[in-house]
Amino acid sequence: MVSDTAGVAPSLAAAVAWEEWETLKPLQRQHWLGAQLVASILRSEQKVGTHLLGINTGLKSISRECRRSLVRTIRLTAFLDALSSAADAGMKELDRLVQAKDLMERRLRNRRSSSSLPSVVELVLSIPLVSAAMIAKEVKISPRGALNLISELGVREMTGRGRYRAWGIT
């Protein structure tokens, strides 16, 4: 059980918790809670900082045969590999966002100090999809002004629509 892993390394404790959840299946209609439980164990043990690790992202990269093996050590090893894979994916995503921020900050050069564009950059980086109405409300400008700022940033339109559009970083 999870309480038996008190003196164990946090990653191994998380692997044991995941393995127990998958074996016992306490909530069959809410199987996704197992990943949340494991991520919260890692956070409570201060293995990850302020967020819950996306464990299912890492589990997608591990073969089903390893994840569902009859041998417990193979399942535990597969979970630890999934943790590593999820961490790698998180670092790649972080690098992508840092690069996008750098590109957007280049567009902020030679702007007036009263420009609303820095606020829009922060909003676009913090939310996956933003609309003109969201930007207008957050930055306190008109929707037309929000569209102008979006066009200056060069972010990608994600919906493919003419109306009710949303933008994000690719």
Side-chain angles (χ1 to χ4, degrees), residues 94-162:
L94 184 62
D95 289 342
R96 186 183 71 81
L97 288 173
V98 167
Q99 183 181 17
K101 183 178 182 179
D102 289 343
L103 289 173
M104 285 189 219
E105 284 178 347
R106 287 183 193 162
R107 296 177 190 239
L108 296 177
R109 292 185 186 144
N110 302 324
R111 301 283 301 189
R112 293 182 181 174
S113 61
S114 61
S115 174
S116 299
L117 199 55
S119 301
V120 175
V121 168
E122 291 301 318
L123 184 66
V124 167
L125 288 172
S126 65
I127 300 174
L129 286 175
V130 294
S131 66
M134 289 171 64
I135 292 172
K137 183 178 178 183
E138 183 74 24
V139 183
K140 296 181 177 80
I141 57 175
S142 69
R144 181 68 241 173
L147 289 173
N148 291 340
L149 290 175
I150 287 174
S151 66
E152 288 182 37
L153 274 182
V155 294
R156 183 173 171 215
E157 199 277 322
M158 305 294 265
T159 59
R161 300 169 145 189

Side-chain angles (χ1 to χ4, degrees), residues 2-3 31 43 58 62 72 75 79 81 94 96 130 170:
V2 177
S3 59
H31 57 87
R43 189 170 72 184
I62 307 300
R72 185 176 189 196
R75 290 191 308 261
F79 182 80
D81 290 341
L94 184 62
R96 186 183 71 81
V130 294
T170 57

Side-chain angles (χ1 to χ4, degrees), residues 8-46:
V8 179
S11 300
L12 189 56
V16 170
W18 174 260
E19 202 272 330
E20 290 294 325
W21 184 274
E22 289 294 308
T23 303
L24 297 175
K25 299 182 186 201
L27 300 172
Q28 291 189 8
R29 295 188 186 266
Q30 296 175 332
H31 57 87
W32 54 271
L33 284 175
Q36 296 294 315
L37 170 72
V38 170
S40 67
I41 288 172
L42 288 172
R43 189 170 72 184
S44 70
E45 294 292 327
Q46 298 171 346

